[in-house]
Amino acid sequence: MENQNLKLNRYSIGTGDRFSHQAKAQLQACVKALDNGVEIVPVWNKSNREHAIIGSEPASARQAADAAVKALAWKLPYFCDADHITLATVDRFLAPCDFFTIDVADFIGQPADASDIGLFVKRHPELLGSIQLAGVDETFDIAADDLRQAAQKFLAAIKKAGEVYRKIVAAKGEGSFIPEVSMDETDRAQSPAELLIILAAIADEGIPIQTIAPKFSGRFNKGVDYVGDVAQFEREFSLDIAAIAYAVRQFGLPANLKLSVHSGSDKFSIYPAIHASIKRFNAGVHLKTAGTTWLEELIGLAEAGGDGLALAKEIYAEAFAHREELCGPYSTVIDIDPARLPAPSEVRGWTSEQYTSALRHDQSNPVYNSSLRQLLHVGFKVAAKMGRRYFDLLEANESVIAKNVTENLYNRHIAPVFLGVPSRGQGEV
Ligand SMILES: [Zn+2]
């Protein structure tokens, strides 16, 4: 099998496209960044959960990405990410994907073999005591007990990641895909010291990861802003970057290894901190922002008025009626206040502007409604069920939707994170 030695670029954006209609509009945002002198590589990510809810196949995401790249004559790399896969779900992603986010969150805390723990502790005397990381004032102090506890907590998960990695290698060949390990969908954030220990274990396991997605402290709810202490996030984020640089040197992990931020979309208030940190450490970052595009489709439909607005209202009414079922799979990552959800009968009377103002993530707008936004964020199953009826309207209103998708991705995500330009509102250029 050929060994392509695929490498992920310093800056990359993971962008989700639930219905595979907006790849070109998303790529247009990367083209715009390139026009402004910054290379940002697109990674189209779609999780098994999304495919299962929509009833789509991973190959469709690949086709949409390839078509967009061809249409815009994109010359830089691009990738298709099998997002949050496990040993049980990886199979149908093997052929169409060249980026694999190996999710081991469910195995964190499962007991590791006592002999594995002993071996790991013996193999890593350099992790004991005080570790000085380049570029930060703080030192890490890791006691023998800390090391043993971290091994106990994470070794089983890392071994599982190794199994998944080797299964992908067996099918595709080494170097023909970008491996990421994710542990963000768990209940507790990993400390920077734990990240260092995890990276040592990943190196021992022989996984040449290029991105790692830890869970950061604070809440990363779907489609709405960060809830937490931004200063503390910045401190942890910087320490994580420093820990990665140390792990690259010490454990021989790939030199381009970087953090992957599974943002759950729209963590605007931490974007300046991310930008400041990557600049300070001359580091890369992968930003995953998956669901925001589907909401731009709804905004575009509402903005179009007529049948588009009517369908957007119908989708809200259906999502409202099935809110418990829709929210179930996402219960740990949403905070919806039921009292703030408008009755569908009220929404039925809304103008385009009332609908888009409530939904569009503009926190300076007094009628912006984060509960409505989160419900619609997880409500894409409603549109999936409509099938052709939904797609026909997407296609009929392509230009207004594409404009919203591109502007949202560029102005509100790419510009603040990668270019350091403060987020601008929709429609401003
Ligand atoms: Zn994630």
Side-chain angles (χ1 to χ4, degrees):
M1 238 168 266
E2 63 173 329
N3 185 340
Q4 302 167 270
N5 277 321
L6 284 187
K7 278 203 174 58
L8 185 61
N9 304 49
R10 165 169 293 233
Y11 294 156
S12 49
I13 185 154
T15 177
D17 185 9
R18 309 261 198 238
F19 300 107
S20 298
H21 272 64
Q22 309 306 334
K24 208 167 84 181
Q26 293 170 327
L27 183 58
Q28 191 64 52
C30 293
V31 170
K32 217 168 157 179
L34 198 57
D35 290 345
N36 282 288
V38 182
E39 284 188 5
I40 299 155
V41 158
V43 180
W44 278 279
N45 44 252
K46 200 160 172 183
S47 66
N48 194 60
R49 181 170 60 191
E50 280 179 271
H51 281 296
I53 290 173
I54 289 169
S56 56
E57 283 295 324
S60 61
R62 160 62 67 185
Q63 283 156 10
D66 288 348
V69 162
K70 199 167 163 216
L72 297 186
W74 177 255
K75 298 282 182 271
L76 292 174
Y78 67 101
F79 300 93
C80 286
D81 177 4
D83 201 8
H84 285 286
I85 46 90
T86 63
L87 207 54
T89 56
V90 69
D91 286 310
R92 61 179 177 150
F93 293 87
L94 290 170
C97 291
D98 50 10
F99 188 126
F100 289 81
T101 298
I102 304 171
D103 185 338
V104 294
D106 284 352
F107 297 91
I108 293 173
Q110 291 211 0
D113 260 19
S115 62
D116 286 345
I117 296 170
L119 219 60
F120 178 80
V121 171
K122 209 175 284 171
R123 203 185 294 136
H124 291 287
E126 79 285 356
L127 286 173
L128 285 174
S130 181
I131 298 173
Q132 180 66 55
L133 301 177
V136 289
D137 298 333
E138 290 173 67
T139 52
F140 280 4
D141 291 301
I142 302 177
D145 252 6
D146 301 332
L147 191 56
R148 206 166 294 115
Q149 269 170 28
Q152 191 139 26
K153 185 162 184 201
F154 295 107
L155 272 188
I158 305 302
K159 279 198 109 142
K160 196 41 98 176
E163 275 178 53
V164 182
Y165 172 71
R166 287 185 290 276
K167 182 171 183 177
I168 305 166
V169 168
K172 298 185 74 76
E174 217 177 315
S176 65
F177 62 96
I178 311 288
E180 166 166 322
V181 170
S182 70
M183 27 188 66
D184 60 307
E185 295 195 352
T186 181
D187 49 4
R188 202 183 62 84
Q190 295 96 35
S191 71
E194 282 175 332
L195 180 65
L196 190 60
I197 297 166
I198 288 164
L199 290 173
I202 288 174
D204 288 352
E205 192 65 31
I207 312 170
I209 51 164
Q210 297 188 31
T211 49
I212 178 134
K215 181 180 172 73
F216 301 103
S217 63
R219 286 207 38 102
F220 285 72
N221 286 341
K222 292 284 178 191
V224 294
D225 206 346
Y226 177 74
V227 181
D229 180 342
V230 174
Q232 193 196 334
F233 170 84
E234 184 164 3
R235 184 185 151 268
E236 284 176 6
F237 192 81
S238 298
L239 284 171
D240 282 349
I241 293 177
I244 284 175
Y246 179 91
V248 165
R249 275 196 317 275
Q250 189 76 33
F251 312 127
L253 288 167
N256 63 336
L257 174 59
K258 60 181 179 175
L259 284 171
S260 172
V261 182
H262 287 207
S263 72
S265 302
D266 289 26
K267 299 302 167 284
F268 299 149
S269 63
I270 56 170
Y271 284 177
I274 293 175
H275 180 76
S277 301
I278 59 176
K279 285 288 155 189
R280 184 150 75 91
F281 289 88
N282 195 21
V285 72
H286 180 58
L287 176 74
K288 275 195 199 187
T289 172
T292 188
T293 286
W294 133 252
L295 293 177
E296 293 306 322
E297 287 178 342
L298 277 182
I299 288 170
L301 287 175
E303 211 172 87
D307 290 348
L309 178 60
L311 194 81
K313 290 175 180 176
E314 192 182 327
I315 288 172
Y316 178 74
E318 276 295 295
F320 184 87
H322 298 279
R323 55 194 184 280
E324 272 165 37
E325 168 203 339
L326 294 169
C327 294
Y330 293 97
S331 59
T332 58
V333 283
I334 47 179
D335 269 327
I336 292 175
D337 176 0
R340 291 217 57 218
L341 290 173
S345 56
E346 183 193 334
V347 173
R348 215 166 292 132
W350 280 0
T351 61
S352 289
E353 209 201 318
Q354 280 175 298
Y355 195 105
T356 58
S357 300
L359 176 54
R360 191 174 273 148
H361 195 180
D362 175 2
Q363 291 166 83
S364 66
N365 189 332
V367 295
Y368 160 64
N369 184 329
S370 69
S371 290
L372 172 138
R373 183 174 169 87
Q374 289 178 87
L375 175 61
L376 286 170
H377 192 288
V378 300
F380 56 95
K381 189 179 186 176
V382 172
K385 274 191 180 155
M386 291 174 167
R388 247 303 121 202
R389 199 152 76 85
Y390 180 67
F391 299 145
D392 282 346
L393 277 169
L394 285 188
E395 286 153 25
N397 296 289
E398 191 192 330
S399 61
V400 56
I401 292 171
K403 182 175 171 290
N404 277 293
V405 169
T406 305
E407 279 182 6
N408 170 58
L409 203 55
Y410 184 79
N411 287 346
R412 319 190 82 177
H413 300 273
I414 287 178
V417 168
F418 298 100
L419 286 79
V421 176
S423 176
R424 282 171 295 191
Q426 215 89 359
E428 301 167 41
V429 184

